[in-house]
Amino acid sequence: MGRETATAWAFVAPSVLVILGLSVVPVVWSLLLSFQADDLVTPSRWVGLDNYRALAQDPHFDQAVRNTILYTALYVPLSIGAGLFLALALNRRIRLVGLYRTLVFVPFVISAAAQGVLFSFILDPEFGAANTVLDVFGVSPQGFFNDPDQALLALLAVSLWSGTGFCVVVLLAALQDVPPSLVEAARLDGTGRLQLLRHVVLPSLRPVMVFLLLWQAITSLQVFDLVYVTTKGGPLGSTTVIVYFIWEQAFKNFTAGYGAAAAYTLALALLVLAVVPRLARALRGRTRPERSRPDVTGPDRRLEGAAR
């Protein structure tokens, strides 16, 4: 028995060491670092909650939070809404549908760095193809990444171009799992397309929509690569998001403790985002058995009979 245990640990040990070395140890170390003043050169000193107090009064961090919230509030519903629209359009037997699905998904597999380089050329104010096309339609040249009023929206557009493909694939798989019998019964009852979508399709997609809501929100809160490649947080801090702010404080300004405090502030926000839906689902599950059972002779019984 002891020999078998030793053999098992011999196989498991490399993975355990990797997890400890790349996950657990950095998390604990960065947590301790958030309570210290550390410039990565001189010995650190304990400052307690001073880093967190400074964050609460830092206008640059406040701007980064506002930019991140605005980006998330626009990206999440637009990506899911566009993904649902495209998924419904591609969930049909049309010619070359496989090619269309591939073209929609391809931008998602392109790295954010490559996207940033590509769109930096396309959206260049002087030589970019975007202003050339706009000039054909009589629209004056736009600043895009160089304009503080447009930079964040330009980043949002690039993110939607790539991130919508993930939503399309997930929703397409979910649409193909909608029971055909429900759809057929609804059509036999004379249900229109909008009513079919509202009362049959969308309720079946609810678990997937909750997953996409959480996934896209977490993804948007952690956006960094695209900002780093395209705008470097500018112009005038208009595209500085939280993760870029963390990188800037830790590796550009060499205030590692301050950056770690900002990182744990973001981690707390992500934890709340992940836990709140679970708590809401648990509370809803507790209250559900207390509800009175529906009258079997009422509309539910008639609907059951109609479905048969």
Side-chain angles (χ1 to χ4, degrees):
M1 188 65 179
R3 186 175 181 180
E4 292 179 355
T5 303
T7 303
W9 273 109
F11 282 105
V12 173
S15 299
V16 173
L17 291 176
V18 169
I19 293 173
L20 289 175
L22 299 180
S23 298
V24 178
V25 173
V27 167
V28 175
W29 179 75
S30 60
L31 177 60
L32 295 175
L33 189 63
S34 69
F35 298 105
Q36 303 175 41
D38 193 327
D39 59 3
L40 300 178
V41 179
T42 59
S44 60
R45 57 186 178 85
W46 189 267
V47 295
L49 296 175
D50 287 354
N51 287 328
Y52 293 94
R53 295 191 187 99
L55 277 177
Q57 301 173 0
D58 190 344
H60 298 291
F61 181 70
D62 182 63
Q63 184 183 26
V65 170
R66 284 188 279 107
N67 289 339
T68 306
I69 291 175
L70 177 60
Y71 177 87
T72 303
L74 293 174
Y75 175 76
V76 173
L78 288 176
S79 61
I80 296 177
L84 178 61
F85 175 80
L86 291 173
L88 290 171
L90 296 175
N91 191 37
R92 299 181 180 183
R93 295 180 181 177
I94 56 178
R95 189 178 180 183
L96 300 177
V97 66
L99 175 62
Y100 301 146
R101 293 174 179 176
T102 303
L103 292 176
V104 168
F105 185 68
V106 162
F108 177 72
V109 301
I110 301 176
S111 68
Q115 295 171 31
V117 173
L118 173 64
F119 280 94
S120 292
F121 285 106
I122 294 176
L123 301 179
D124 185 270
E126 296 183 6
F127 309 106
N131 275 332
T132 302
V133 174
L134 292 177
D135 184 62
V136 174
F137 293 97
V139 180
S140 60
Q142 303 297 310
F144 298 116
F145 291 141
N146 292 343
D147 188 341
D149 296 328
Q150 298 180 5
L152 189 63
L153 296 178
L155 285 175
L156 174 67
V158 176
S159 299
L160 288 173
W161 176 75
S162 61
T164 302
F166 176 76
C167 297
V168 172
V169 171
V170 174
L171 289 170
L172 264 176
L175 284 172
Q176 293 173 4
D177 284 339
V178 176
S181 58
L182 291 179
V183 178
E184 188 64 25
R187 287 176 177 172
L188 290 175
D189 287 341
T191 305
R193 290 185 177 181
L194 291 179
Q195 292 178 328
L196 179 65
L197 176 64
R198 179 181 176 184
H199 298 290
V200 177
V201 176
L202 289 181
S204 301
L205 297 180
R206 188 174 300 164
V208 175
M209 297 291 279
V210 172
F211 162 75
L212 283 177
L213 182 66
L214 291 175
W215 180 271
Q216 295 295 83
I218 292 173
T219 301
S220 58
L221 288 173
Q222 298 182 93
V223 62
F224 169 77
D225 314 46
L226 193 60
V227 176
Y228 180 80
V229 174
T230 55
T231 64
K232 305 289 187 193
L236 301 178
S238 60
T239 59
T240 298
V241 291
I242 294 180
V243 178
Y244 186 83
F245 176 86
I246 294 169
W247 173 87
E248 193 173 40
Q249 296 303 318
F251 301 106
K252 188 176 180 181
N253 299 337
F254 295 104
T255 52
Y258 193 59
Y264 267 90
T265 302
L266 174 61
L268 180 61
L270 294 176
L271 180 64
V272 171
L273 188 64
V275 169
V276 166
R278 290 180 174 271
L279 292 177
R281 195 178 304 116
L283 291 175
R284 191 164 55 245
R286 289 181 180 180
T287 58
R288 188 171 298 170
E290 298 176 1
R291 297 177 183 176
S292 58
R293 294 183 59 186
D295 185 5
V296 296
T297 61
D300 294 338
R301 181 63 176 272
R302 292 197 297 271
L303 287 175
E304 184 181 356
R308 291 177 182 173

PDB file of all heavy atoms in Angstrom, residues 281-297:
ATOM      1  N   ARG A 281     -29.260  31.915  -7.037  1.00  0.00           N
ATOM      2  CA  ARG A 281     -29.846  30.636  -7.462  1.00  0.00           C
ATOM      3  C   ARG A 281     -30.168  29.765  -6.261  1.00  0.00           C
ATOM      4  O   ARG A 281     -31.204  29.085  -6.223  1.00  0.00           O
ATOM      5  CB  ARG A 281     -28.873  29.925  -8.399  1.00  0.00           C
ATOM      6  CG  ARG A 281     -29.505  28.777  -9.170  1.00  0.00           C
ATOM      7  CD  ARG A 281     -28.519  28.124 -10.111  1.00  0.00           C
ATOM      8  NE  ARG A 281     -27.947  29.084 -11.031  1.00  0.00           N
ATOM      9  CZ  ARG A 281     -26.670  29.404 -11.067  1.00  0.00           C
ATOM     10  NH1 ARG A 281     -25.834  28.848 -10.216  1.00  0.00           N
ATOM     11  NH2 ARG A 281     -26.219  30.274 -11.943  1.00  0.00           N
ATOM     12  N   ALA A 282     -29.295  29.786  -5.250  1.00  0.00           N
ATOM     13  CA  ALA A 282     -29.541  28.986  -4.054  1.00  0.00           C
ATOM     14  C   ALA A 282     -30.757  29.489  -3.290  1.00  0.00           C
ATOM     15  O   ALA A 282     -31.590  28.689  -2.827  1.00  0.00           O
ATOM     16  CB  ALA A 282     -28.310  29.003  -3.160  1.00  0.00           C
ATOM     17  N   LEU A 283     -30.899  30.805  -3.160  1.00  0.00           N
ATOM     18  CA  LEU A 283     -32.063  31.365  -2.476  1.00  0.00           C
ATOM     19  C   LEU A 283     -33.346  31.066  -3.241  1.00  0.00           C
ATOM     20  O   LEU A 283     -34.384  30.768  -2.649  1.00  0.00           O
ATOM     21  CB  LEU A 283     -31.882  32.874  -2.307  1.00  0.00           C
ATOM     22  CG  LEU A 283     -30.779  33.306  -1.324  1.00  0.00           C
ATOM     23  CD1 LEU A 283     -30.617  34.812  -1.354  1.00  0.00           C
ATOM     24  CD2 LEU A 283     -31.107  32.828   0.088  1.00  0.00           C
ATOM     25  N   ARG A 284     -33.267  31.143  -4.563  1.00  0.00           N
ATOM     26  CA  ARG A 284     -34.450  30.844  -5.364  1.00  0.00           C
ATOM     27  C   ARG A 284     -34.841  29.376  -5.235  1.00  0.00           C
ATOM     28  O   ARG A 284     -36.013  29.024  -5.218  1.00  0.00           O
ATOM     29  CB  ARG A 284     -34.170  31.193  -6.826  1.00  0.00           C
ATOM     30  CG  ARG A 284     -35.407  31.179  -7.706  1.00  0.00           C
ATOM     31  CD  ARG A 284     -35.182  31.882  -9.029  1.00  0.00           C
ATOM     32  NE  ARG A 284     -34.032  31.333  -9.750  1.00  0.00           N
ATOM     33  CZ  ARG A 284     -32.939  32.010 -10.010  1.00  0.00           C
ATOM     34  NH1 ARG A 284     -32.808  33.249  -9.564  1.00  0.00           N
ATOM     35  NH2 ARG A 284     -31.938  31.464 -10.674  1.00  0.00           N
ATOM     36  N   GLY A 285     -33.817  28.500  -5.123  1.00  0.00           N
ATOM     37  CA  GLY A 285     -34.111  27.079  -4.947  1.00  0.00           C
ATOM     38  C   GLY A 285     -34.744  26.781  -3.599  1.00  0.00           C
ATOM     39  O   GLY A 285     -35.552  25.860  -3.477  1.00  0.00           O
ATOM     40  N   ARG A 286     -34.404  27.550  -2.562  1.00  0.00           N
ATOM     41  CA  ARG A 286     -35.009  27.337  -1.245  1.00  0.00           C
ATOM     42  C   ARG A 286     -36.453  27.796  -1.194  1.00  0.00           C
ATOM     43  O   ARG A 286     -37.288  27.175  -0.544  1.00  0.00           O
ATOM     44  CB  ARG A 286     -34.201  28.072  -0.173  1.00  0.00           C
ATOM     45  CG  ARG A 286     -32.838  27.455   0.106  1.00  0.00           C
ATOM     46  CD  ARG A 286     -32.128  28.229   1.196  1.00  0.00           C
ATOM     47  NE  ARG A 286     -30.812  27.652   1.483  1.00  0.00           N
ATOM     48  CZ  ARG A 286     -29.987  28.133   2.392  1.00  0.00           C
ATOM     49  NH1 ARG A 286     -30.342  29.208   3.108  1.00  0.00           N
ATOM     50  NH2 ARG A 286     -28.809  27.563   2.594  1.00  0.00           N
ATOM     51  N   THR A 287     -36.743  28.897  -1.870  1.00  0.00           N
ATOM     52  CA  THR A 287     -38.104  29.432  -1.820  1.00  0.00           C
ATOM     53  C   THR A 287     -39.055  28.723  -2.760  1.00  0.00           C
ATOM     54  O   THR A 287     -40.263  28.777  -2.575  1.00  0.00           O
ATOM     55  CB  THR A 287     -38.089  30.929  -2.160  1.00  0.00           C
ATOM     56  OG1 THR A 287     -37.507  31.112  -3.465  1.00  0.00           O
ATOM     57  CG2 THR A 287     -37.267  31.707  -1.142  1.00  0.00           C
ATOM     58  N   ARG A 288     -38.521  28.038  -3.744  1.00  0.00           N
ATOM     59  CA  ARG A 288     -39.398  27.409  -4.735  1.00  0.00           C
ATOM     60  C   ARG A 288     -40.319  26.344  -4.137  1.00  0.00           C
ATOM     61  O   ARG A 288     -41.492  26.295  -4.448  1.00  0.00           O
ATOM     62  CB  ARG A 288     -38.546  26.817  -5.862  1.00  0.00           C
ATOM     63  CG  ARG A 288     -39.359  26.306  -7.039  1.00  0.00           C
ATOM     64  CD  ARG A 288     -38.430  25.948  -8.189  1.00  0.00           C
ATOM     65  NE  ARG A 288     -37.713  27.121  -8.644  1.00  0.00           N
ATOM     66  CZ  ARG A 288     -36.698  27.085  -9.492  1.00  0.00           C
ATOM     67  NH1 ARG A 288     -36.266  25.919  -9.949  1.00  0.00           N
ATOM     68  NH2 ARG A 288     -36.106  28.199  -9.867  1.00  0.00           N
ATOM     69  N   PRO A 289     -39.860  25.437  -3.266  1.00  0.00           N
ATOM     70  CA  PRO A 289     -40.775  24.423  -2.730  1.00  0.00           C
ATOM     71  C   PRO A 289     -41.906  24.998  -1.893  1.00  0.00           C
ATOM     72  O   PRO A 289     -42.921  24.333  -1.701  1.00  0.00           O
ATOM     73  CB  PRO A 289     -39.855  23.550  -1.861  1.00  0.00           C
ATOM     74  CG  PRO A 289     -38.487  23.791  -2.383  1.00  0.00           C
ATOM     75  CD  PRO A 289     -38.495  25.220  -2.822  1.00  0.00           C
ATOM     76  N   GLU A 290     -41.756  26.229  -1.397  1.00  0.00           N
ATOM     77  CA  GLU A 290     -42.796  26.812  -0.563  1.00  0.00           C
ATOM     78  C   GLU A 290     -43.978  27.343  -1.371  1.00  0.00           C
ATOM     79  O   GLU A 290     -45.020  27.642  -0.833  1.00  0.00           O
ATOM     80  CB  GLU A 290     -42.202  27.955   0.268  1.00  0.00           C
ATOM     81  CG  GLU A 290     -41.101  27.484   1.212  1.00  0.00           C
ATOM     82  CD  GLU A 290     -40.476  28.643   1.948  1.00  0.00           C
ATOM     83  OE1 GLU A 290     -40.926  29.796   1.720  1.00  0.00           O
ATOM     84  OE2 GLU A 290     -39.558  28.416   2.761  1.00  0.00           O
ATOM     85  N   ARG A 291     -43.764  27.481  -2.687  1.00  0.00           N
ATOM     86  CA  ARG A 291     -44.847  27.990  -3.510  1.00  0.00           C
ATOM     87  C   ARG A 291     -45.950  26.943  -3.635  1.00  0.00           C
ATOM     88  O   ARG A 291     -45.700  25.737  -3.663  1.00  0.00           O
ATOM     89  CB  ARG A 291     -44.326  28.363  -4.899  1.00  0.00           C
ATOM     90  CG  ARG A 291     -43.284  29.487  -4.865  1.00  0.00           C
ATOM     91  CD  ARG A 291     -42.786  29.731  -6.277  1.00  0.00           C
ATOM     92  NE  ARG A 291     -41.739  30.753  -6.279  1.00  0.00           N
ATOM     93  CZ  ARG A 291     -41.064  31.113  -7.360  1.00  0.00           C
ATOM     94  NH1 ARG A 291     -41.329  30.513  -8.515  1.00  0.00           N
ATOM     95  NH2 ARG A 291     -40.147  32.035  -7.281  1.00  0.00           N
ATOM     96  N   SER A 292     -47.143  27.421  -3.732  1.00  0.00           N
ATOM     97  CA  SER A 292     -48.273  26.504  -3.886  1.00  0.00           C
ATOM     98  C   SER A 292     -48.252  25.884  -5.260  1.00  0.00           C
ATOM     99  O   SER A 292     -47.860  26.515  -6.245  1.00  0.00           O
ATOM    100  CB  SER A 292     -49.592  27.266  -3.687  1.00  0.00           C
ATOM    101  OG  SER A 292     -49.695  28.324  -4.611  1.00  0.00           O
ATOM    102  N   ARG A 293     -48.668  24.631  -5.361  1.00  0.00           N
ATOM    103  CA  ARG A 293     -48.684  23.927  -6.640  1.00  0.00           C
ATOM    104  C   ARG A 293     -49.755  24.511  -7.529  1.00  0.00           C
ATOM    105  O   ARG A 293     -50.844  24.874  -7.091  1.00  0.00           O
ATOM    106  CB  ARG A 293     -48.961  22.437  -6.410  1.00  0.00           C
ATOM    107  CG  ARG A 293     -47.862  21.722  -5.650  1.00  0.00           C
ATOM    108  CD  ARG A 293     -48.177  20.255  -5.533  1.00  0.00           C
ATOM    109  NE  ARG A 293     -48.321  19.652  -6.870  1.00  0.00           N
ATOM    110  CZ  ARG A 293     -48.701  18.400  -7.055  1.00  0.00           C
ATOM    111  NH1 ARG A 293     -49.013  17.631  -6.028  1.00  0.00           N
ATOM    112  NH2 ARG A 293     -48.799  17.917  -8.279  1.00  0.00           N
ATOM    113  N   PRO A 294     -49.482  24.609  -8.835  1.00  0.00           N
ATOM    114  CA  PRO A 294     -50.491  25.151  -9.742  1.00  0.00           C
ATOM    115  C   PRO A 294     -51.680  24.220  -9.868  1.00  0.00           C
ATOM    116  O   PRO A 294     -51.569  23.000  -9.688  1.00  0.00           O
ATOM    117  CB  PRO A 294     -49.734  25.270 -11.074  1.00  0.00           C
ATOM    118  CG  PRO A 294     -48.624  24.268 -10.965  1.00  0.00           C
ATOM    119  CD  PRO A 294     -48.249  24.232  -9.530  1.00  0.00           C
ATOM    120  N   ASP A 295     -52.814  24.788 -10.166  1.00  0.00           N
ATOM    121  CA  ASP A 295     -54.046  24.034 -10.340  1.00  0.00           C
ATOM    122  C   ASP A 295     -53.943  23.182 -11.596  1.00  0.00           C
ATOM    123  O   ASP A 295     -53.811  23.706 -12.708  1.00  0.00           O
ATOM    124  CB  ASP A 295     -55.228  25.021 -10.463  1.00  0.00           C
ATOM    125  CG  ASP A 295     -56.556  24.286 -10.534  1.00  0.00           C
ATOM    126  OD1 ASP A 295     -56.552  23.047 -10.396  1.00  0.00           O
ATOM    127  OD2 ASP A 295     -57.584  24.961 -10.747  1.00  0.00           O
ATOM    128  N   VAL A 296     -54.009  21.845 -11.419  1.00  0.00           N
ATOM    129  CA  VAL A 296     -53.844  20.955 -12.565  1.00  0.00           C
ATOM    130  C   VAL A 296     -55.027  21.025 -13.509  1.00  0.00           C
ATOM    131  O   VAL A 296     -54.961  20.541 -14.634  1.00  0.00           O
ATOM    132  CB  VAL A 296     -53.640  19.500 -12.087  1.00  0.00           C
ATOM    133  CG1 VAL A 296     -52.355  19.377 -11.308  1.00  0.00           C
ATOM    134  CG2 VAL A 296     -54.813  19.033 -11.226  1.00  0.00           C
ATOM    135  N   THR A 297     -56.127  21.615 -13.062  1.00  0.00           N
ATOM    136  CA  THR A 297     -57.289  21.730 -13.948  1.00  0.00           C
ATOM    137  C   THR A 297     -57.295  23.057 -14.682  1.00  0.00           C
ATOM    138  O   THR A 297     -58.209  23.333 -15.446  1.00  0.00           O
ATOM    139  CB  THR A 297     -58.582  21.604 -13.119  1.00  0.00           C
ATOM    140  OG1 THR A 297     -58.626  22.669 -12.163  1.00  0.00           O
ATOM    141  CG2 THR A 297     -58.626  20.281 -12.392  1.00  0.00           C
TER     142      THR A 297
END
